[in-house]
Amino acid sequence: MTDTPNVLWIMADQLRFDYLSCYGHPHLHTPHIDALAKRGVQFDHAYVQSPVCGPSRMSAYTGRYVRSHGSTWNGMPLRIGEPTLGDHLREAGARAVLVGKTHMIADKEGMAWLGIDPESEIGVHRSECGFEPFERDDGLHPDSARQNWSAYDDYLLAHGYDSDNPWEDFANSGVDETGELLSAWLLKNSRLPANVPEEHSETAYMTDRAMEFMEDAMQDGRPWMCHLSYIKPHWPYIVPAPYHDMYNETHIVDPIRSDAERKTDHPLMGAYLDARVCRSFSRDHVREHVIPAYMGLIKQLDDNLGRLFAWMDEKGLSENTIIAFTSDHGDYMGDHWMGDKDFYHDMAVKVPLIIADPRPAADATRGTVSDALVEMIDLAPTIMNALGCTPKPHIIEGRDLTPILHDRAGFSRQYVISEHDYHWSEMAASLGVSQEDAHTTMIFDGRWKYIICEGFAPVLFDLQNDPNELNDLGRSDGPEHVEARARMDAALLRWATRHHTRVTATPSVLARQKTAAKDGILIGFWDEEEYLSATGQAFGDLAPSGKR
Amino acid sequence: MTDTPNVLWIMADQLRFDYLSCYGHPHLHTPHIDALAKRGVQFDHAYVQSPVCGPSRMSAYTGRYVRSHGSTWNGMPLRIGEPTLGDHLREAGARAVLVGKTHMIADKEGMAWLGIDPESEIGVHRSECGFEPFERDDGLHPDSARQNWSAYDDYLLAHGYDSDNPWEDFANSGVDETGELLSAWLLKNSRLPANVPEEHSETAYMTDRAMEFMEDAMQDGRPWMCHLSYIKPHWPYIVPAPYHDMYNETHIVDPIRSDAERKTDHPLMGAYLDARVCRSFSRDHVREHVIPAYMGLIKQLDDNLGRLFAWMDEKGLSENTIIAFTSDHGDYMGDHWMGDKDFYHDMAVKVPLIIADPRPAADATRGTVSDALVEMIDLAPTIMNALGCTPKPHIIEGRDLTPILHDRAGFSRQYVISEHDYHWSEMAASLGVSQEDAHTTMIFDGRWKYIICEGFAPVLFDLQNDPNELNDLGRSDGPEHVEARARMDAALLRWATRHHTRVTATPSVLARQKTAAKDGILIGFWDEEEYLSATGQAFGDLAPSGKR
């Protein structure tokens, strides 16, 4: 085993932290993910930097907060000139390879402005979030501007699934007992089996592709980080047999919600509850159809990961591959009378995070659970460390988790941050909030979760006394609550006024500035004598040195 | 006169707002700048976004706050991919031409990373702050990493001023009665005449170059914005005859300072006062040597502007050219026991700003004084408006001043912001402040000037009761002061958590997102009926439309 391990970074999409048995789900058993946790560290307080796919992923792939990279919502291109994890790894001689979804939108206008050909190697990296694309696939949205024919569509065609839109007609549709094809974009069809056998489903396909990449990489020899990014259990909620009927109403945990929440007088929270997806998931029969399918998708994912891990053991890859497993955000599933994600309750903004490091230095922490407050942006510097990149504090805002993995001091964080831009939403439309003002920011210190909502009162939860986040203290005049809000405001101000965009402050630039400041600024000297006593050199000696 | 005027944007370097007769200096008469004010609007509350050359100028040239463009101090390259005023003007078919100083440092590492040839047209624009360089000249620092041989050096050689460093030996040095050459980098030599005749001095030379550009531009025909950027009255403080002895001790206004200030117990303020340049300018004999030279440099600048304006009248350029005159920051000159700039008292962070718009719409405001709170970043959108650029609210953070110039409603600002990164400084070194924490932020609402200093107590001045900013209320427990600090903290938090980096949120991107949000998000529909009632179209009609 070499000193430089490889890294397999597995990301599920829209996977709630509490829908895994190692995170406590009573009915959904995920033995393979649980086994990974036993080989590594399970993080119980891992938070994403935005509770929605695009910005959360852009933060994960840059190691930077949303306010720093600027890609604030799905479809907001990652600006040209924003450095990514892939760029840092390539610089260190490692490959950063994509197998699956990134949700990245290329900054075409920016590339044209700077004369970068999107087809060039540089252009492709800039279009793929800095990754070398082995397979790029963001899933099929039948009504989306991002609609693309994918390699998976070709795969389905090649295996005899003939259609002008195979993904939609096979992976995203179900068949009822009469043989009728029914779209899983309608929730009533969630319990049907997907119109594709499991071995040809999206999850199985992408697992196979990851193995194909690792086969190639073993020939190639360079160290690598592979981002295996599954589209599931993200909607449309439908899963192939036998997973479609493994779970039923009896396996559904009760919703986390209170009648008081429904009567909120907070305008923004009220607008959320009025949004279609929230009204829909507030209905029990919707939960009863969707949750079993969601659980089936996760069970299928776990089985495929079991297949992948066994294959890696067999190939001898496990002993030299750090495996990270996480998700880009959760799913409300009707909790708090909400659906999908887009806000900051734990089931939306907190994610599972497991890191199994095969190196001996990590032996002491295998099977342990860490309650450290960590952010998704911490993965990038952790992976950079593993692959021998020099730290880049002027760019990377995440913090290296290696000290936790290796059971030593060196990691600390007092709070986690998450941001959301809702300018596109029903909430902004119904409240008449401008796209400039339609944003919220969350800060959580382990007890107090505080959310500032531009133009509205803040939201505050005390997770020590209200772990289910049912009681909004954002306007409470209880002294402890007033004090907590003031402390969180101060912490947010410190965070928000920190350097976030000083990406050119490289070591060489900073060194040059120190030199210029030390020798360079001649102002303030009265005469030669003062100059000599201050600098230790004669003025006459220095002046010519600056000449050409 | 066409509808599209040209713009001449004149910037002096380190010019205090109060060292012009139109801004009230009792002894320094600047009739030509005063006359410009009579033709336009004089802004009495114009603030720069950082009280130091580089970041202030990067804000001016991008229309964005320092925290947004990230070039936080001199020598910090402007990141590749940061859009500039020049880019926006070119897009609208106008030229953005540089004649003089920008203090821009190119992001060479960024250009190499994105495969941009610094010699290419795109590379040159990126290296020159987005300008088309007619002449680039940042002045000569004999001991600086930025040392460059300049066109002005060639000019001096061509006129018989022979030296291996002509600028230093002629423009930056003086001669005493014995004929000895003495460097103006030593303050004791400030009163000597520069070793160059006025007509060949930096200020005269750059004025001539501006005329040469305008001659060219008249042939070229395209609308233009010319940034005429003088290096003076920036140090080294020395001026050619006859300006070197136009002023003496009797013309020096008393320093603005109190003994109490010198006894400050604020660690950061104390460190400022201990810095060499502040100790030096606290000495009366230093002020008595430097200020007359500084006044002479400004008088010389005014005379050259008189020459320029007369020439423009003669060429018929005045009637179609908007002229803006300003500075990148001020100079303490011993006020508050400080020297140079780098903090937020008015003489450092407030600048002169005069805009003379020849268009009839501006007739009503000629000769008026505006007390609106304006920022240097407001010039970029004002110039964009004049030259017919579409507004770019996703990039430009400044606000168009045209409504003020044209005497109509539409401009408003409740506070101005300025930022400073002092990681390079004696203050950071003596206080042991890390480069990450060495920053301050100022917010001023017209009465309260509030400065947060990471790691230290804030500084607060009440300019209504203390117009000279002598009394720091940053730790006062007077109820009004506590309340003012809380209000300013809240305003700063709103400002700091606003969108600053969402530069890819172009109109087309936002439109696409609205469409995707409206038609695109199918989740949450139970069945066809619900879909029909919500969208007005049958589910079956839509689904195929998304197919290829």
Side-chain angles (χ1 to χ4, degrees):
Chain A
M1 168 167 164
T2 70
D3 289 350
T4 304
N6 299 311
V7 177
L8 176 63
W9 174 8
I10 304 166
M11 177 105 75
D13 196 317
Q14 195 138 340
L15 172 61
R16 279 174 66 127
F17 74 97
D18 55 354
Y19 271 52
L20 298 169
S21 37
C22 56
Y23 279 89
H25 198 286
H27 307 299
L28 178 54
H29 300 295
T30 50
H32 305 294
I33 294 169
D34 295 5
L36 184 70
K38 286 274 167 292
R39 288 160 52 191
V41 176
Q42 171 176 325
F43 292 87
D44 272 2
H45 294 90
Y47 287 82
V48 290
Q49 276 48 77
S50 186
V52 57
C53 301
S56 173
R57 288 166 178 270
M58 295 310 106
S59 283
Y61 306 148
T62 60
R64 291 160 54 71
Y65 293 104
V66 174
R67 53 110 66 237
S68 304
H69 60 65
S71 179
T72 60
W73 196 60
N74 297 340
M76 194 77 76
L78 185 66
R79 70 182 291 179
I80 192 72
E82 188 67 16
T84 65
L85 172 61
D87 301 306
H88 308 315
L89 295 181
R90 260 189 303 281
E91 202 178 279
R95 299 173 69 187
V97 176
L98 171 67
V99 179
K101 167 173 177 171
T102 63
H103 220 113
M104 159 82 174
I105 299 296
D107 181 8
K108 291 198 176 60
E109 297 177 45
M111 281 195 276
W113 166 51
L114 294 182
I116 296 169
D117 173 6
E119 303 304 314
S120 67
E121 184 178 354
I122 288 172
V124 168
H125 289 151
R126 302 277 57 82
S127 304
E128 300 290 4
C129 237
F131 291 109
E132 167 192 336
F134 184 82
E135 169 129 358
R136 162 76 187 264
D137 216 329
D138 280 8
L140 192 66
H141 302 249
D143 43 12
S144 162
R146 294 195 300 285
Q147 164 106 8
N148 288 310
W149 184 260
S150 71
Y152 178 56
D153 288 294
D154 286 328
Y155 170 90
L156 288 173
L157 281 187
H159 289 74
Y161 301 96
D162 191 27
S163 159
D164 66 349
N165 194 344
W167 195 318
E168 175 63 8
D169 295 341
F170 296 98
N172 285 350
S173 296
V175 273
D176 66 12
E177 51 289 333
T178 74
E180 195 192 352
L181 195 65
L182 295 163
S183 173
W185 290 102
L186 296 179
L187 300 173
K188 73 177 168 71
N189 300 322
S190 305
R191 298 287 294 272
L192 297 173
N195 187 30
V196 66
E198 196 282 326
E199 65 269 26
H200 295 314
S201 68
E202 301 155 272
T203 296
Y205 168 78
M206 208 56 79
T207 305
D208 295 341
R209 293 291 288 146
M211 295 182 199
E212 288 167 29
F213 162 71
M214 286 188 263
E215 288 276 11
D216 287 8
M218 283 188 278
Q219 308 311 316
D220 177 276
R222 282 173 293 168
W224 50 264
M225 184 277 286
C226 173
H227 182 51
L228 171 55
S229 188
Y230 289 101
I231 290 149
K232 294 300 177 183
H234 193 288
W235 42 263
Y237 305 104
I238 188 162
V239 61
Y243 298 98
H244 74 293
D245 64 3
M246 277 188 188
Y247 305 98
N248 59 42
E249 294 75 356
T250 67
H251 304 109
I252 298 176
V253 295
D254 292 338
I256 298 168
R257 62 195 189 197
S258 74
D259 290 339
E261 282 181 300
R262 213 166 196 176
K263 305 193 190 79
T264 178
D265 61 350
H266 191 292
L268 181 57
M269 297 316 297
Y272 266 100
L273 299 193
D274 288 340
R276 186 186 66 245
V277 69
C278 292
R279 283 186 277 106
S280 183
F281 277 84
S282 296
R283 294 179 291 189
D284 290 341
H285 70 279
V286 168
R287 298 181 73 247
E288 285 159 12
H289 276 70
V290 171
I291 290 177
Y294 183 70
M295 292 172 70
L297 284 164
I298 295 164
K299 183 66 176 177
Q300 182 199 3
L301 175 63
D302 186 69
D303 285 344
N304 274 275
L305 290 178
R307 185 165 67 92
L308 178 67
F309 297 155
W311 178 87
M312 289 176 69
D313 290 343
E314 182 190 311
K315 296 285 181 179
L317 283 161
S318 303
E319 66 193 25
N320 192 32
T321 304
I322 295 171
I323 300 178
F325 174 80
T326 187
S327 176
D328 59 349
H329 55 75
D331 190 321
Y332 273 103
M333 283 293 164
D335 290 345
H336 306 286
W337 311 101
M338 293 172 76
D340 207 27
K341 52 262 185 183
D342 292 327
F343 201 63
Y344 304 103
H345 295 92
D346 269 1
M347 64 284 305
V349 73
K350 181 167 143 177
V351 290
L353 175 63
I354 295 165
I355 305 178
D357 180 348
R359 293 174 292 183
D363 289 345
T365 62
R366 304 197 190 288
T368 62
V369 171
S370 169
D371 62 2
L373 278 174
V374 304
E375 295 179 328
M376 181 60 68
I377 57 175
D378 297 337
L379 268 181
T382 306
I383 293 168
M384 286 168 67
N385 176 312
L387 287 167
C389 298
T390 47
K392 297 194 170 185
H394 54 294
I395 295 173
I396 300 293
E397 300 184 297
R399 302 178 188 183
D400 184 359
L401 297 171
T402 309
I404 296 178
L405 301 177
H406 293 182
D407 196 27
R408 53 180 166 80
F411 179 91
S412 79
R413 175 179 281 109
Q414 292 173 297
Y415 47 76
V416 292
I417 302 280
S418 194
E419 303 168 86
H420 187 233
D421 175 354
Y422 64 94
H423 74 271
W424 55 275
S425 69
E426 288 176 71
M427 293 80 76
S430 66
L431 295 168
V433 178
S434 75
Q435 64 106 344
E436 183 55 39
D437 292 336
H439 57 83
T440 56
T441 307
M442 175 206 88
I443 179 168
F444 175 58
D445 68 0
R447 174 179 178 181
W448 301 100
K449 186 181 285 187
Y450 180 63
I451 298 140
I452 56 172
C453 311
E454 182 65 38
F456 304 104
V459 170
L460 178 70
F461 298 113
D462 174 0
L463 275 74
Q464 181 174 300
N465 297 307
D466 175 28
N468 285 331
E469 307 176 280
L470 296 169
N471 185 18
D472 174 12
L473 306 168
R475 287 159 288 171
S476 156
D477 44 23
E480 193 181 25
H481 307 148
V482 173
E483 194 275 332
R485 291 196 300 266
R487 199 171 59 248
M488 296 310 233
D489 273 330
L492 265 181
L493 181 58
R494 275 197 306 280
W495 171 78
T497 51
R498 256 168 46 189
H499 295 297
H500 292 268
T501 53
R502 202 172 52 168
V503 297
T504 60
T506 60
S508 60
V509 165
L510 292 176
R512 194 178 63 218
Q513 290 181 330
K514 290 276 181 197
T515 312
K518 192 175 133 298
D519 309 333
I521 297 181
L522 279 174
I523 52 160
F525 292 109
W526 172 252
D527 62 9
E528 294 81 353
E529 194 179 317
E530 192 172 282
Y531 184 84
L532 177 63
S533 65
T535 67
Q537 52 190 335
F539 180 74
D541 295 346
L542 179 124
S545 78
K547 297 184 179 182
R548 283 171 33 266
Chain B
M1 167 168 165
T2 70
D3 291 348
T4 304
N6 300 311
V7 177
L8 176 64
W9 174 7
I10 304 166
M11 177 107 73
D13 197 317
Q14 196 138 339
L15 172 61
R16 278 173 68 127
F17 75 96
D18 56 355
Y19 270 53
L20 298 170
S21 37
C22 56
Y23 280 89
H25 198 286
H27 307 299
L28 178 55
H29 299 296
T30 50
H32 304 294
I33 294 168
D34 295 6
L36 185 71
K38 286 274 168 291
R39 288 160 51 189
V41 176
Q42 172 177 324
F43 292 87
D44 272 3
H45 294 89
Y47 287 82
V48 290
Q49 276 48 77
S50 186
V52 58
C53 300
S56 173
R57 288 167 177 270
M58 296 310 106
S59 284
Y61 305 147
T62 59
R64 293 160 52 72
Y65 293 104
V66 174
R67 53 109 70 236
S68 305
H69 60 64
S71 181
T72 60
W73 195 61
N74 297 339
M76 195 76 76
L78 185 67
R79 70 183 291 179
I80 194 70
E82 187 67 16
T84 65
L85 172 61
D87 301 306
H88 309 314
L89 295 182
R90 259 190 302 282
E91 201 178 280
R95 300 173 67 188
V97 177
L98 171 66
V99 180
K101 167 173 176 170
T102 63
H103 220 113
M104 160 83 174
I105 299 295
D107 181 8
K108 291 198 175 61
E109 297 177 46
M111 281 195 276
W113 167 49
L114 294 182
I116 297 169
D117 173 6
E119 303 303 315
S120 67
E121 184 178 356
I122 288 172
V124 168
H125 289 151
R126 303 277 53 86
S127 304
E128 300 291 2
C129 238
F131 290 109
E132 167 192 338
F134 184 81
E135 169 130 357
R136 161 75 186 265
D137 216 331
D138 280 7
L140 192 65
H141 302 250
D143 44 11
S144 162
R146 293 195 300 285
Q147 164 105 10
N148 286 312
W149 185 259
S150 72
Y152 178 56
D153 287 293
D154 287 328
Y155 170 89
L156 288 173
L157 281 187
H159 288 74
Y161 302 97
D162 191 27
S163 158
D164 66 350
N165 194 345
W167 195 319
E168 175 63 9
D169 295 342
F170 296 99
N172 285 349
S173 297
V175 274
D176 67 11
E177 50 289 332
T178 73
E180 195 192 351
L181 194 65
L182 296 163
S183 172
W185 291 102
L186 296 178
L187 301 173
K188 74 178 170 66
N189 300 322
S190 304
R191 297 285 296 270
L192 297 172
N195 187 30
V196 66
E198 195 283 326
E199 64 269 27
H200 294 313
S201 68
E202 302 155 270
T203 297
Y205 168 78
M206 209 55 80
T207 306
D208 296 340
R209 294 291 287 147
M211 294 182 198
E212 288 165 31
F213 162 71
M214 286 187 263
E215 288 278 9
D216 288 7
M218 282 188 279
Q219 309 310 318
D220 176 275
R222 280 174 295 168
W224 50 265
M225 183 278 285
C226 173
H227 182 50
L228 170 56
S229 189
Y230 290 101
I231 289 149
K232 294 301 178 181
H234 193 288
W235 41 264
Y237 304 104
I238 190 163
V239 60
Y243 298 98
H244 74 293
D245 65 0
M246 276 187 188
Y247 305 98
N248 58 43
E249 294 76 356
T250 68
H251 302 110
I252 300 176
V253 295
D254 292 339
I256 299 167
R257 63 196 190 195
S258 74
D259 291 338
E261 282 181 300
R262 212 165 197 178
K263 305 194 189 79
T264 179
D265 62 349
H266 192 293
L268 181 57
M269 297 315 297
Y272 266 100
L273 299 192
D274 288 341
R276 187 186 67 245
V277 70
C278 292
R279 283 185 278 108
S280 183
F281 277 84
S282 296
R283 295 179 291 189
D284 289 343
H285 70 278
V286 167
R287 297 182 73 248
E288 284 158 13
H289 276 71
V290 170
I291 291 177
Y294 184 69
M295 292 171 70
L297 284 164
I298 295 163
K299 182 66 177 177
Q300 183 200 3
L301 175 63
D302 186 69
D303 285 344
N304 273 275
L305 291 178
R307 185 165 67 92
L308 178 67
F309 297 155
W311 179 87
M312 289 176 70
D313 291 343
E314 183 189 308
K315 296 287 181 178
L317 284 161
S318 302
E319 66 192 25
N320 193 31
T321 305
I322 295 171
I323 300 178
F325 175 81
T326 188
S327 176
D328 60 349
H329 55 74
D331 191 322
Y332 273 104
M333 284 292 164
D335 290 346
H336 306 287
W337 312 101
M338 293 171 78
D340 206 26
K341 52 262 185 184
D342 293 324
F343 201 63
Y344 304 103
H345 295 92
D346 269 3
M347 64 284 305
V349 73
K350 181 166 142 177
V351 290
L353 175 63
I354 296 165
I355 306 177
D357 180 347
R359 293 174 292 182
D363 289 346
T365 62
R366 305 197 190 289
T368 61
V369 171
S370 169
D371 61 2
L373 278 174
V374 305
E375 296 179 327
M376 181 60 69
I377 57 175
D378 297 337
L379 269 181
T382 307
I383 293 169
M384 287 168 68
N385 177 312
L387 287 167
C389 298
T390 46
K392 297 193 169 184
H394 54 295
I395 295 174
I396 300 293
E397 299 184 296
R399 301 179 189 183
D400 184 359
L401 297 171
T402 308
I404 296 177
L405 302 176
H406 292 181
D407 196 27
R408 51 180 166 80
F411 179 90
S412 79
R413 175 179 282 110
Q414 292 173 295
Y415 48 76
V416 291
I417 302 280
S418 194
E419 302 167 86
H420 186 233
D421 175 355
Y422 64 94
H423 73 271
W424 54 276
S425 70
E426 287 177 71
M427 294 80 76
S430 65
L431 295 169
V433 178
S434 75
Q435 63 106 346
E436 183 55 40
D437 291 337
H439 57 84
T440 55
T441 306
M442 176 206 87
I443 179 168
F444 176 58
D445 69 359
R447 175 179 178 182
W448 302 99
K449 186 181 284 185
Y450 180 64
I451 298 139
I452 55 172
C453 310
E454 183 64 39
F456 304 105
V459 170
L460 178 70
F461 298 114
D462 174 0
L463 274 76
Q464 181 174 301
N465 296 308
D466 175 28
N468 285 331
E469 308 175 280
L470 296 169
N471 185 17
D472 174 10
L473 306 169
R475 287 160 289 172
S476 156
D477 45 24
E480 193 182 24
H481 307 148
V482 172
E483 193 277 330
R485 292 197 299 266
R487 200 171 58 250
M488 296 310 234
D489 273 330
L492 265 180
L493 182 58
R494 275 197 307 280
W495 170 78
T497 51
R498 258 168 44 190
H499 295 298
H500 292 268
T501 52
R502 200 173 52 167
V503 297
T504 60
T506 60
S508 61
V509 165
L510 293 175
R512 192 177 65 217
Q513 290 180 331
K514 289 277 181 196
T515 311
K518 191 176 136 298
D519 309 333
I521 299 182
L522 279 175
I523 51 161
F525 291 109
W526 171 252
D527 61 9
E528 293 83 352
E529 194 179 317
E530 190 172 283
Y531 184 85
L532 178 64
S533 65
T535 67
Q537 50 190 336
F539 179 75
D541 294 347
L542 178 124
S545 79
K547 299 184 178 181
R548 282 172 33 268

